[in-house]
Amino acid sequence: MVADPNIIYFGGAFDPVHRGHMDSVQIVREFFPNAKITVVPGFLPPRNANEQKSIATPFVDRVAMVVVAFDEWAQVDVSSVEEELKTPNYTYLTLEKFSQENPGSRLAWMIGADQLQSFPTWRNPRRILELASLVVLPRLSLAGGDLLEMATHVASSLGFGTTVDKDNFRVDLDGGGSIYVMKRMPQSVSSSEIRKLATKNLKEIETMVAPAVMDYISDLGLYQN
Ligand code: ATP
């Protein structure tokens, strides 16, 4: 009997937070109605540090947009802990901190399918799976049975023995954790697409972000050049 996670973290750049992120949280909170979901904006995600280009939007604004997007969502809160960690920060270090702060809790980390694909290249991926389960959201063509297969492959490539539960779309790993694959697809939108469209005409991103995020972007003139 697998014990489902009771705290689920959702990391990312959130530059800006969009409908795809919001759908992801909605799907996961319906799937795990007893879990708390904490959104964790990255201070300087390693991807950007490696590319030697910083995220243009200040951390404080990315956090503020996440806060207004999920305002009054039951079960959901926002953590700015990554500001306190050294940069570039790695997910396994954030999870070590969360794990120390929540002894006895069952943790999980939410990612989109594109990130599952690159997961083995993350710093210390085995440690991440020792500390937490993964909850994977389908994205574009990465979905359904193929995504379950990818999850199995990723876990075994990292040296975990696996048991696949095809009915529940879950891969259980020797050592305790699981990879949960969600069936419902969030809205297909990305932050990079939003940043690009916003430079042309703010109106074009109206359906892609929450109204309060739209107001924040236009009040501060974010992504305008
Ligand atoms: P960018 O376009 O700049 O790469 P992004 O839209 O992927 O950004 P991030 O903040 O980097 O946004 O994403 C945080 C997490 O949310 C990642 O795990 C990503 O895979 C996931 N995610 C983002 N958008 C979607 C979406 N539309 N469907 C499913 N997962 C998503």
Side-chain angles (χ1 to χ4, degrees):
M1 177 71 192
V2 170
D4 283 344
N6 55 4
I7 310 180
I8 302 171
Y9 297 101
F10 188 23
F14 302 105
D15 188 19
V17 61
H18 55 63
R19 292 274 179 209
H21 298 128
M22 296 170 76
D23 285 355
S24 299
V25 170
Q26 178 60 15
I27 290 165
V28 171
R29 77 173 172 160
E30 280 176 24
F31 195 89
F32 298 105
N34 299 318
K36 186 180 89 162
I37 300 174
T38 299
V39 186
V40 191
F43 187 66
L44 179 62
R47 179 167 47 118
N48 301 75
N50 289 343
E51 288 168 9
Q52 299 290 309
K53 64 171 188 206
S54 56
I55 292 180
T57 315
F59 180 72
V60 63
D61 291 321
R62 290 184 288 116
V63 170
M65 288 189 280
V66 171
V67 168
V68 295
F70 293 104
D71 186 34
E72 298 196 9
W73 279 43
Q75 284 174 250
V76 182
D77 66 7
V78 182
S79 164
S80 42
V81 69
E82 291 230 346
E83 190 177 24
E84 299 158 25
L85 301 169
K86 64 175 195 248
T87 55
N89 185 51
Y90 296 102
T91 299
Y92 82 94
L93 293 171
T94 306
L95 273 169
E96 278 182 348
K97 185 171 172 63
F98 285 141
S99 163
Q100 281 157 12
E101 286 172 356
N102 298 281
S105 289
R106 297 177 305 281
L107 311 185
W109 191 267
M110 263 171 79
I111 55 176
D114 53 310
Q115 294 292 319
L116 177 67
Q117 206 165 24
S118 59
F119 184 75
T121 68
W122 289 23
R123 185 67 61 101
N124 229 339
R126 256 195 81 89
R127 181 76 183 130
I128 295 175
L129 288 173
E130 283 160 8
L131 291 161
S133 290
L134 285 186
V135 179
V136 184
L137 279 303
R139 195 170 190 186
L140 300 172
S141 58
L142 296 173
D146 289 349
L147 190 51
L148 186 65
E149 216 170 275
M150 187 196 285
T152 315
H153 178 73
V154 164
S156 30
S157 74
L158 294 172
F160 288 95
T162 56
T163 309
V164 183
D165 181 338
K166 286 195 172 156
D167 294 332
N168 292 307
F169 257 51
R170 200 187 64 230
V171 183
D172 297 328
L173 314 186
D174 289 358
S178 300
I179 304 181
Y180 297 83
V181 174
M182 299 292 103
K183 291 187 177 168
R184 262 167 62 202
M185 173 88 68
Q187 184 172 323
S188 171
V189 43
S190 72
S191 296
S192 41
E193 182 189 0
I194 290 172
R195 291 194 300 274
K196 206 160 90 195
L197 289 172
T199 56
K200 294 190 208 138
N201 180 359
L202 259 197
K203 267 238 153 291
E204 296 213 26
I205 68 165
E206 218 161 24
T207 57
M208 299 178 178
V209 298
V213 173
M214 188 73 199
D215 288 346
Y216 194 96
I217 290 172
S218 82
D219 287 352
L220 271 83
L222 299 178
Y223 311 117
Q224 308 294 281
N225 44 48

